[in-house]
Structures are given as C-alpha cells and as structure tokens.
C-alpha cells in the first residue's frame, strides 16, 4: 500500500498499520503475512478507505493462508454489495470454499442468498442457503433455515415451511429461534390452530430477540381478545416494555388506554396515554395526544380545556382539520358567553366525524361472506383517457396519473349546496350554479358499485360524444386507503390565503404538506406533486322535498353477475349463492343506513340549535363575531359537503375520493384557464381488477389486451346490449 491510503487516519491508527507492515513473508512466513495484510485492510475499511482495503485484500492468496484468504474475499464481497455492485460481490463470495474456513464459507453463502433473493433469483438464493451445513456455523445455519422457511411461506407451501421453522433449535441461535417461532405462529393462526400459535409465541423470550418478543406479545394480546380473555389481553400488552421495542411499547400502551376508555375509566386512559413519548413512535404519540384531547374536551366538570388544546396541538400534524376545529371549540367553551354555543358546535362536529366514518368504505370481510362485498369500484371513461392511463410511452409522458378533477365540472346543479339547504329545511329545487371557491376547492374522483352499467356507459363511457363507446376501469381495493388508517381526515389539506379568511380560519398545512402530497420524478427528469393514497366514501342521495335518503350501494343484479348460477349449502339447505350473498349484504347495508339515519337526524336538530346560538351571540358580541362563527360552522360541515347528492342521481350509486385544498397549492394543476385537477399517486395499471369494454367500443378490445399483456387484468365485453 502507498502513503495516500493512510490519508485521513489519526496518528495512532497510522502507527498500528506501520507495525502490521513490519510483518513480511521472508521473516514471518506466508500465513502471518496474510493475516497482517487482512488486518490492514480492516483498519482501512473502518477508516472509510474502501478502495485501499480492497487493494490490500486482493493481494492475499489462498496458498498464503486459506483462512485469511476466505475472510478477505468475504469482506471484499460485503464492500462491493454496499456499493451496489452485486455481481462483483457474488464473484468474491463464490471464491470461498468450505475447506478454507467453514464459518467464512457459511457467511458467504448466506450473503449470496440474500443478494440473489434481492435480485429476484429465488431459486439460486435457495441453493446458496441450502449449501450451509449445521457444522459450518450454528448461527448462520439457523438464519439460513429461517430464510428458507420464510420463502416457502411466501410461496404458500405452509406445511413445508412449518417443518423447517420448528426444526430450528434455541441453542443454535436464540435470534433465529425467536423469528422462526413467530413465523410458525402466524402459519398456525392462519390455519385456525390458535393453541399451537399461542404455544410458539409464549416460547419467545425477551433475551432471544427483544423486538420479536414485543411483536409476539402483541399477537398474544390479539388472540386473547379474540378468545374473550380481557385479563390475558391486558397482561400481554403490559409485558411489552420500552426497552424491548419503543414502537411496540407505544402501540401496546395505546391499546391499554383504549381498554380503560371503553370501560369508562378516562383518568386511567389519560395516564396510560401520557406514558407514550414522541421519541417512541411519533405517529402513535400523536394518536395518543389526540385521544387525550378528546377526553379532556368532553370533561365539562374539570373544564380542563387548556390541557385539551395543548394535547390537540401535539397531534395537529396527523389530525390537522380535527385539531383545528377542536381548539376553536375549546376557545368557545372557555368563555362563559359562548360556552353554550361551544357545546352545540362540539356535538355537531362529532356528528360530522361520525358520519364520515359511517360513509367511508370498509374493505374488510363482513359476516361469513366469501370476500368483502365492496372490494372493487368502477370508473367510467373514454377509450382515449383509458389509453393515456395505461399505455407506456416515455415521449408522450405516458402513462398518466389518475386525476381528481374540479367539482365545478360535475353535472349535478345541487353539488355542495344540498346538505346546508336540507339542514335549513329549504325544500325547493332552485339551485344556483356552484360558486368557485379558491380557498376550499374540492377535487373529486368518481367511482361506482355498478361495474358494468349501460346507463353509465351512455353517460360517462363515451368517446367523441358517441354513447356507450368507452370503458369501465374496475379498481381493486388496494387503489384506496383502508378505513382503519391511523390519522385524521386525509382529504382536507387547506392553506388559507385570503386576508378575510385568515382572520377567522387558520388551518396550517405547511407541516402536513409532505403527508398529503408526495413529489415524484418523471422520466424526463421533471418533478410533479401527487396526492397520496386516499380513502373513498359512499355518497348519500337526499330528496329536497321530502325525508327520503339513500346510501350508495351495490344492487341485486351485481350479485347475480358475480356468482351466476353457483349454489352453496347453508344449514343443510342448497340455495343460490347470489341470493344468499345478497341477503347478507342487505343486512350489512341496513346497519350502515340505520347508523347514518340516527346521526343525520341528530345533525339536523343540533344544526338548528347552533344557528339559534350564533344569532344570540350577535347581540352580545357583535356581527363580526357572528360572521366568524358562521365561518367556523361551514368549516365543520366541510367534510360532508360534497358527499351529499340529489336523489335524481341515485341510479349512479356513486362513491367519491375527495381532496379539498387551496388552488394555489403546488399539487394543483391548471390548464387553459379553467381545466383544474390534482394527480393521484397510485398507478392505475397496478391496481386494476378488470376492464369492461362498452358495446360500441368492441374494436378497442384487442388493443387493450395488447397494452396490458404483461398484467393479469381480464378484459371483458359488456354484458349489456346496445345499438
């Protein structure tokens, strides 16, 4: 090595290298020389001089010392892999033989397997891991056996995976043993063998692997809850300590707090949630602070609204809209002149949150259905638009992202107005054109439960204004954000800009910018901002002149189209599967409808109370305060504003993805002065379940089959007749 290789090293390290350099082949022999050269390389690598280390290790030959040669090649491969040169890394590792050094050989085979697995060469990875013998190195052998078991599990060979995992011995590797028992428990749980799963989970000790132990205790808690053992549930959660894993500890504390809250012990819930630190896991910390704030704001005896506001402030990054409204309401509750109004606004705000929760689609299974009822939604569009969403063409910047378009383009004149008119008991159909709101502008993506509807093909699936000449893009549930996503209402990302609004409305979205929007890079190097995955909600159809309402839902025909003439045996009786599933679905929809009806009726009553209170405040605090309070009321109702539609559009059975923000935000695109939209990040092609070709667009079927040839997406001709 030359003197340049020692640049940047401290004097003590330089002296250490100089001492090692005194070892020569002639004086000390080949083996001692090889060992000293290997150690010099280690010192250089630790000093970030990787090129110098590689140069030294390269000179070590097998005939000098098989052991030093093996470890030089092992570390050479590690250095190349860190530099993302996998081929050179694999080449170095392949030079090592078991006869050189069994332990180095085992490590090289293990690392080769990991690199090959990352490359996607699963078969070669398995071969590398299978090359490792127990006698080579117990720890590495056990880790390789775990990886082989995991690969079998991923490939759905659960029985073989279980045999491999259960053969891993604790004495060989406590760490691999803990991971193997955890994965084995998952397999047994999926096979409904809960006792076996529990036994494996209980075998894991904190000293084996503290993180895996903490995860195991969380699963034990879940199983105990399913088995109806509240004591076992809480005991498992309490066994999770911060020293095991801070994130799992925070989650366990969050769950314990909810248990106390559900039992009515709010003081204990607050105490438990207060144990969670932001350094444990920021997202869980904010959830805990948000829950603390909610408990305190409803505690009207202690009137500890200052602490409630402080808790909401701690949570505002993940719950911007909710914490903004709650803190405004706290201000009203603290003042005697506005306390009664504050109580009414608190009630109406929580009703709004309840309704949003009721209307948000839940993609989980219900009852004993085969699959989730509402697992896919359709979007009708032209063949031209479908093409730019699906075709790959770098020159034209295809494929395009799915767009949420401005609410001002819709064909319903009652958009954004019907809810307030119903709450005010206005019963006519005299709607004015929707005003253009720059600060609270809504962008929507429209979907429907009717995947193959002639009427929607005629209205929305059109090319060149020709009816039924487009396509129905059917999206699977992964295109949307699941209902149980932690955090607040995700579709409100508001940054007020006008001076009039800023005086009374201060939702600050600067900190949540990165949470709602992500920046991506196009093929041409330009940057764009896209809205991240959002939840989707069913619309509610109201009749202005009566009390009729209807929640968007699947119709009976969709079940017969899905199941055809399939039959099932239930309670010993053979029956149509379509009729059976339709019956369960009706029960499911009735529950949601009843929940909405109760919340909506309460909303109407409370709205009248709020209006009365605001009018009273005007005489006490003046018209400016009245205007401020009316603005707050509008902001509180904002999440529901674009989910309420006129009953005339009921047949559409629409669900919506909504994004509300200011039009001067960077993610908003404006073209030709009025063409306004935001782009949605998830890829269309990667989340399609099926495509239906409209009756008048059959000539396009072969083309779509061609551009989707590498994607498993069925393309079907519509079952509807049309001429």
């Amino acid at each position: 090595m030359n003197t340049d290789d020692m640049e940047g090293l401290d004097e003590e390290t330089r002296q250490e290298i100089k001492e090692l350099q005194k070892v020569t082949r002639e004086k000390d022999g080949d083996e001692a020389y090889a060992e000293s050269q290997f150690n010099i390389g280690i010192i250089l690598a630790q000093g970030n001089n990787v090129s110098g280390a590689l140069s030294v290790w390269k000179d070590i030959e097998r005939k000098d010392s098989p052991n030093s040669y093996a470890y030089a090649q092992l570390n050479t491969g590690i250095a190349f892999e860190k530099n993302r040169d996998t081929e050179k890394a694999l080449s170095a590792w392949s030079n090592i033989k078991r006869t050189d050094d069994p332990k180095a050989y085992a490590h090289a085979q293990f690392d080769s397997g990991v690199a090959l697995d990352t490359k996607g060469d699963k078969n070669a990875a398995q071969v590398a891991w299978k090359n490792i013998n127990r006698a080579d190195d117990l720890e590495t052998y056990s880790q390789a056996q775990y990886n082989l078991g995991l690969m079998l599990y991923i490939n759905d060979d659960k029985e073989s995976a279980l045999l491999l995992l259960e053969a891993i011995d604790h004495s060989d590797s406590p760490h691999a043993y803990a991971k193997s028992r955890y994965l084995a428990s998952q397999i047994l749980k999926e096979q409904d063998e809960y006792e076996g799963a529990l036994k494996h989970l209980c075998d894991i000790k904190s000293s084996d692997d503290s993180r895996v132990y903490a995860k195991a205790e969380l699963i034990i808690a879940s199983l105990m809850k399913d088995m109806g053992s509240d004591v076992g549930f809480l005991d498992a959660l309490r066994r999770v300590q911060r020293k095991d894993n801070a994130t799992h500890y925070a989650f366990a504390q969050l769950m314990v707090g909810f248990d106390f809250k559900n039992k009515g012990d709010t003081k204990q819930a607050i105490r438990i949630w207060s144990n969670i630190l932001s350094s444990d896991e920021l997202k869980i910390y904010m959830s805990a602070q948000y829950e603390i704030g909610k408990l305190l704001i409803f505690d009207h005896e202690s009137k500890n609204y200052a602490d409630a506001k402080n808790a909401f402030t701690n949570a505002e990054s993940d719950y911007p809209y909710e914490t903004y409204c709650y803190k405004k309401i706290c201000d009203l509750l603290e003042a005697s002149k506005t306390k009664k109004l504050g109580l009414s606004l608190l009630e109406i705000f929580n009703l709004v949150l309840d309704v949003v929760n009721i209307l948000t689609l839940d993609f989980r299974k219900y009852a004993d259905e085969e699959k989730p009822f509402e697992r896919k939604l359709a979007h009708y569009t032209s063949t031209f638009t479908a093409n730019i969403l699906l075709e790959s063409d770098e020159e034209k910047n295809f494929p395009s992202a799915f767009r949420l378009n401005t609410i001002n383009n819709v064909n319903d004149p009652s958009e954004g107005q019907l809810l307030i008119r119903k709450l005010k008991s206005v019963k006519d159909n005299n709607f004015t054109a929707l005003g253009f709101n720059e600060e609270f502008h809504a962008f929507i993506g429209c979907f429907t439960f009717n995947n193959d509807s002639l009427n929607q093909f005629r209205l929305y699936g059109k090319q060149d204004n020709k009816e039924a000449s487009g396509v129905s893009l059917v999206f699977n549930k992964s295109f949307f954000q699941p209902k149980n996503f932690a955090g607040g209402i995700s579709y409100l990302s508001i940054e007020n800009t006008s001076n009039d609004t800023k005086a009374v409305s201060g939702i600050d979205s600067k900190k949540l910018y990165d949470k709602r929007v992500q920046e991506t890079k196009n093929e041409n190097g330009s940057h764009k901002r896209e809205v991240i995955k959002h939840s989707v909600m069913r619309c509610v159809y109201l009749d202005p002149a009566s009390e009729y309402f209807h929640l968007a839902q699947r119709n009976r025909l969709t079940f017969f189209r899905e199941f055809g003439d399939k039959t099932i045996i239930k309670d010993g009786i053979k029956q149509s599967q379509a009729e059976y599933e339709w019956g369960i679905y009706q029960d499911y929809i009735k529950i949601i409808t009843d929940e909405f009806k109760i919340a909506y009726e309460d909303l109407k009553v409370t709205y009248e109370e709020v209006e009365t209170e605001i009018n009273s405040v005007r005489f006490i605090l003046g018209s400016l305060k009245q205007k401020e309070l009316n603005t707050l009321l509008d902001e509180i109702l904002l999440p529901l504003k674009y989910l309420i539609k006129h009953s005339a559009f009921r047949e559409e059975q629409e669900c919506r993805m909504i994004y509300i923000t200011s039009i001067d935000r960077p993610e908003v695109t404006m073209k030709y002065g009025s063409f306004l939209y935001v782009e949605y990040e998830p890829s269309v092609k990667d989340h399609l379940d099926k495509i239906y070709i409209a009756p008048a667009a059959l000539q396009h079927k072969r083309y779509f089959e061609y551009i989707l040839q590498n994607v498993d997406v069925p393309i079907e001709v519509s079952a509807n007749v049309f001429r």
Side-chain angles (χ1 to χ4, degrees), residues 118-139:
T118 303
K119 275 181 62 179
D121 194 342
K122 308 294 183 184
N123 292 331
Q126 288 187 65
V127 170
W129 290 329
K130 287 178 180 178
N131 284 338
I132 304 170
N133 293 336
R134 187 188 194 89
D136 296 331
D137 182 67
L138 289 176
E139 175 73 30

mmCIF file of all heavy atoms in Angstrom, residues 118-139:
data_model
loop_
_atom_site.group_PDB
_atom_site.id
_atom_site.type_symbol
_atom_site.label_atom_id
_atom_site.label_comp_id
_atom_site.label_asym_id
_atom_site.label_seq_id
_atom_site.Cartn_x
_atom_site.Cartn_y
_atom_site.Cartn_z
ATOM 1 N N THR A 118 -32.665 -10.632 -3.352
ATOM 2 C CA THR A 118 -32.955 -9.227 -3.652
ATOM 3 C C THR A 118 -33.020 -8.995 -5.158
ATOM 4 O O THR A 118 -33.839 -8.208 -5.648
ATOM 5 C CB THR A 118 -31.874 -8.322 -3.026
ATOM 6 O OG1 THR A 118 -31.813 -8.564 -1.618
ATOM 7 C CG2 THR A 118 -32.183 -6.848 -3.276
ATOM 8 N N LYS A 119 -32.157 -9.711 -5.902
ATOM 9 C CA LYS A 119 -32.154 -9.605 -7.371
ATOM 10 C C LYS A 119 -33.398 -10.242 -7.995
ATOM 11 O O LYS A 119 -33.721 -9.997 -9.148
ATOM 12 C CB LYS A 119 -30.927 -10.313 -7.943
ATOM 13 C CG LYS A 119 -29.657 -9.472 -7.998
ATOM 14 C CD LYS A 119 -28.512 -10.276 -8.597
ATOM 15 C CE LYS A 119 -28.833 -10.683 -10.034
ATOM 16 N NZ LYS A 119 -27.725 -11.439 -10.653
ATOM 17 N N GLY A 120 -34.068 -11.102 -7.233
ATOM 18 C CA GLY A 120 -35.239 -11.792 -7.757
ATOM 19 C C GLY A 120 -34.958 -13.213 -8.189
ATOM 20 O O GLY A 120 -35.860 -13.912 -8.666
ATOM 21 N N ASP A 121 -33.710 -13.674 -7.993
ATOM 22 C CA ASP A 121 -33.350 -15.041 -8.368
ATOM 23 C C ASP A 121 -33.581 -15.943 -7.148
ATOM 24 O O ASP A 121 -32.651 -16.332 -6.432
ATOM 25 C CB ASP A 121 -31.888 -15.094 -8.817
ATOM 26 C CG ASP A 121 -31.552 -16.405 -9.533
ATOM 27 O OD1 ASP A 121 -32.324 -17.369 -9.384
ATOM 28 O OD2 ASP A 121 -30.513 -16.451 -10.219
ATOM 29 N N LYS A 122 -34.834 -16.295 -6.920
ATOM 30 C CA LYS A 122 -35.222 -17.042 -5.725
ATOM 31 C C LYS A 122 -34.604 -18.441 -5.687
ATOM 32 O O LYS A 122 -34.192 -18.913 -4.625
ATOM 33 C CB LYS A 122 -36.750 -17.156 -5.652
ATOM 34 C CG LYS A 122 -37.499 -15.841 -5.784
ATOM 35 C CD LYS A 122 -37.237 -14.928 -4.613
ATOM 36 C CE LYS A 122 -38.040 -13.635 -4.711
ATOM 37 N NZ LYS A 122 -37.739 -12.693 -3.630
ATOM 38 N N ASN A 123 -34.560 -19.109 -6.831
ATOM 39 C CA ASN A 123 -34.024 -20.476 -6.872
ATOM 40 C C ASN A 123 -32.548 -20.515 -6.492
ATOM 41 O O ASN A 123 -32.108 -21.364 -5.711
ATOM 42 C CB ASN A 123 -34.226 -21.085 -8.260
ATOM 43 C CG ASN A 123 -35.684 -21.338 -8.570
ATOM 44 O OD1 ASN A 123 -36.488 -21.577 -7.656
ATOM 45 N ND2 ASN A 123 -36.057 -21.289 -9.839
ATOM 46 N N ALA A 124 -31.787 -19.577 -7.049
ATOM 47 C CA ALA A 124 -30.352 -19.526 -6.729
ATOM 48 C C ALA A 124 -30.145 -19.174 -5.257
ATOM 49 O O ALA A 124 -29.210 -19.670 -4.613
ATOM 50 C CB ALA A 124 -29.647 -18.516 -7.627
ATOM 51 N N ALA A 125 -31.015 -18.319 -4.717
ATOM 52 C CA ALA A 125 -30.921 -17.951 -3.295
ATOM 53 C C ALA A 125 -31.125 -19.186 -2.416
ATOM 54 O O ALA A 125 -30.389 -19.414 -1.446
ATOM 55 C CB ALA A 125 -31.952 -16.881 -2.961
ATOM 56 N N GLN A 126 -32.145 -20.001 -2.775
ATOM 57 C CA GLN A 126 -32.398 -21.225 -2.010
ATOM 58 C C GLN A 126 -31.196 -22.167 -2.064
ATOM 59 O O GLN A 126 -30.821 -22.768 -1.047
ATOM 60 C CB GLN A 126 -33.627 -21.944 -2.568
ATOM 61 C CG GLN A 126 -34.942 -21.252 -2.259
ATOM 62 C CD GLN A 126 -36.121 -22.088 -2.693
ATOM 63 O OE1 GLN A 126 -36.353 -23.168 -2.168
ATOM 64 N NE2 GLN A 126 -36.863 -21.588 -3.673
ATOM 65 N N VAL A 127 -30.591 -22.304 -3.231
ATOM 66 C CA VAL A 127 -29.424 -23.177 -3.373
ATOM 67 C C VAL A 127 -28.302 -22.714 -2.443
ATOM 68 O O VAL A 127 -27.665 -23.523 -1.746
ATOM 69 C CB VAL A 127 -28.925 -23.202 -4.836
ATOM 70 C CG1 VAL A 127 -27.579 -23.897 -4.940
ATOM 71 C CG2 VAL A 127 -29.957 -23.888 -5.730
ATOM 72 N N ALA A 128 -28.048 -21.404 -2.405
ATOM 73 C CA ALA A 128 -26.978 -20.852 -1.561
ATOM 74 C C ALA A 128 -27.250 -21.147 -0.087
ATOM 75 O O ALA A 128 -26.347 -21.581 0.649
ATOM 76 C CB ALA A 128 -26.848 -19.352 -1.797
ATOM 77 N N TRP A 129 -28.478 -20.918 0.360
ATOM 78 C CA TRP A 129 -28.801 -21.152 1.771
ATOM 79 C C TRP A 129 -28.751 -22.641 2.124
ATOM 80 O O TRP A 129 -28.352 -23.007 3.224
ATOM 81 C CB TRP A 129 -30.170 -20.556 2.095
ATOM 82 C CG TRP A 129 -30.168 -19.058 2.091
ATOM 83 C CD1 TRP A 129 -29.126 -18.241 2.429
ATOM 84 C CD2 TRP A 129 -31.238 -18.195 1.710
ATOM 85 N NE1 TRP A 129 -29.491 -16.916 2.292
ATOM 86 C CE2 TRP A 129 -30.791 -16.857 1.851
ATOM 87 C CE3 TRP A 129 -32.544 -18.401 1.266
ATOM 88 C CZ2 TRP A 129 -31.581 -15.757 1.582
ATOM 89 C CZ3 TRP A 129 -33.355 -17.308 0.996
ATOM 90 C CH2 TRP A 129 -32.883 -15.999 1.146
ATOM 91 N N LYS A 130 -29.149 -23.494 1.168
ATOM 92 C CA LYS A 130 -29.107 -24.940 1.416
ATOM 93 C C LYS A 130 -27.677 -25.480 1.459
ATOM 94 O O LYS A 130 -27.433 -26.576 1.982
ATOM 95 C CB LYS A 130 -29.915 -25.682 0.348
ATOM 96 C CG LYS A 130 -31.427 -25.517 0.497
ATOM 97 C CD LYS A 130 -32.175 -26.222 -0.620
ATOM 98 C CE LYS A 130 -33.684 -26.064 -0.466
ATOM 99 N NZ LYS A 130 -34.432 -26.703 -1.582
ATOM 100 N N ASN A 131 -26.734 -24.732 0.903
ATOM 101 C CA ASN A 131 -25.329 -25.140 0.929
ATOM 102 C C ASN A 131 -24.729 -25.082 2.332
ATOM 103 O O ASN A 131 -23.669 -25.662 2.594
ATOM 104 C CB ASN A 131 -24.491 -24.250 0.004
ATOM 105 C CG ASN A 131 -24.691 -24.597 -1.460
ATOM 106 O OD1 ASN A 131 -25.100 -25.710 -1.791
ATOM 107 N ND2 ASN A 131 -24.400 -23.653 -2.338
ATOM 108 N N ILE A 132 -25.369 -24.353 3.231
ATOM 109 C CA ILE A 132 -24.822 -24.144 4.577
ATOM 110 C C ILE A 132 -25.180 -25.336 5.463
ATOM 111 O O ILE A 132 -26.348 -25.702 5.602
ATOM 112 C CB ILE A 132 -25.376 -22.841 5.186
ATOM 113 C CG1 ILE A 132 -25.076 -21.652 4.260
ATOM 114 C CG2 ILE A 132 -24.783 -22.602 6.573
ATOM 115 C CD1 ILE A 132 -25.797 -20.375 4.655
ATOM 116 N N ASN A 133 -24.161 -25.926 6.069
ATOM 117 C CA ASN A 133 -24.363 -27.052 6.973
ATOM 118 C C ASN A 133 -24.364 -26.587 8.426
ATOM 119 O O ASN A 133 -23.761 -25.562 8.769
ATOM 120 C CB ASN A 133 -23.258 -28.102 6.790
ATOM 121 C CG ASN A 133 -23.328 -28.763 5.428
ATOM 122 O OD1 ASN A 133 -24.386 -28.802 4.794
ATOM 123 N ND2 ASN A 133 -22.189 -29.278 4.966
ATOM 124 N N ARG A 134 -25.010 -27.375 9.264
ATOM 125 C CA ARG A 134 -25.053 -27.072 10.689
ATOM 126 C C ARG A 134 -23.640 -26.973 11.276
ATOM 127 O O ARG A 134 -23.359 -26.132 12.133
ATOM 128 C CB ARG A 134 -25.858 -28.170 11.389
ATOM 129 C CG ARG A 134 -26.142 -27.908 12.858
ATOM 130 C CD ARG A 134 -26.773 -29.154 13.480
ATOM 131 N NE ARG A 134 -27.360 -28.844 14.765
ATOM 132 C CZ ARG A 134 -28.616 -28.434 14.930
ATOM 133 N NH1 ARG A 134 -29.404 -28.301 13.883
ATOM 134 N NH2 ARG A 134 -29.079 -28.173 16.135
ATOM 135 N N ALA A 135 -22.724 -27.848 10.780
ATOM 136 C CA ALA A 135 -21.359 -27.878 11.316
ATOM 137 C C ALA A 135 -20.537 -26.660 10.908
ATOM 138 O O ALA A 135 -19.502 -26.365 11.523
ATOM 139 C CB ALA A 135 -20.649 -29.152 10.844
ATOM 140 N N ASP A 136 -20.973 -25.933 9.878
ATOM 141 C CA ASP A 136 -20.220 -24.753 9.423
ATOM 142 C C ASP A 136 -20.266 -23.649 10.476
ATOM 143 O O ASP A 136 -19.241 -23.134 10.905
ATOM 144 C CB ASP A 136 -20.797 -24.228 8.102
ATOM 145 C CG ASP A 136 -20.643 -25.221 6.965
ATOM 146 O OD1 ASP A 136 -19.686 -26.007 6.998
ATOM 147 O OD2 ASP A 136 -21.499 -25.195 6.049
ATOM 148 N N ASP A 137 -21.495 -23.292 10.850
ATOM 149 C CA ASP A 137 -21.697 -22.228 11.847
ATOM 150 C C ASP A 137 -23.161 -22.273 12.281
ATOM 151 O O ASP A 137 -24.059 -22.088 11.452
ATOM 152 C CB ASP A 137 -21.346 -20.856 11.261
ATOM 153 C CG ASP A 137 -21.493 -19.752 12.288
ATOM 154 O OD1 ASP A 137 -20.716 -19.726 13.254
ATOM 155 O OD2 ASP A 137 -22.420 -18.927 12.126
ATOM 156 N N LEU A 138 -23.400 -22.534 13.536
ATOM 157 C CA LEU A 138 -24.768 -22.739 14.023
ATOM 158 C C LEU A 138 -25.653 -21.510 13.790
ATOM 159 O O LEU A 138 -26.796 -21.636 13.355
ATOM 160 C CB LEU A 138 -24.738 -23.088 15.516
ATOM 161 C CG LEU A 138 -24.191 -24.473 15.878
ATOM 162 C CD1 LEU A 138 -24.121 -24.632 17.392
ATOM 163 C CD2 LEU A 138 -25.062 -25.557 15.272
ATOM 164 N N GLU A 139 -25.144 -20.327 14.099
ATOM 165 C CA GLU A 139 -25.920 -19.091 13.952
ATOM 166 C C GLU A 139 -26.312 -18.873 12.492
ATOM 167 O O GLU A 139 -27.485 -18.638 12.172
ATOM 168 C CB GLU A 139 -25.112 -17.898 14.466
ATOM 169 C CG GLU A 139 -25.777 -16.540 14.261
ATOM 170 C CD GLU A 139 -26.942 -16.305 15.202
ATOM 171 O OE1 GLU A 139 -26.925 -16.831 16.321
ATOM 172 O OE2 GLU A 139 -27.883 -15.587 14.793
#
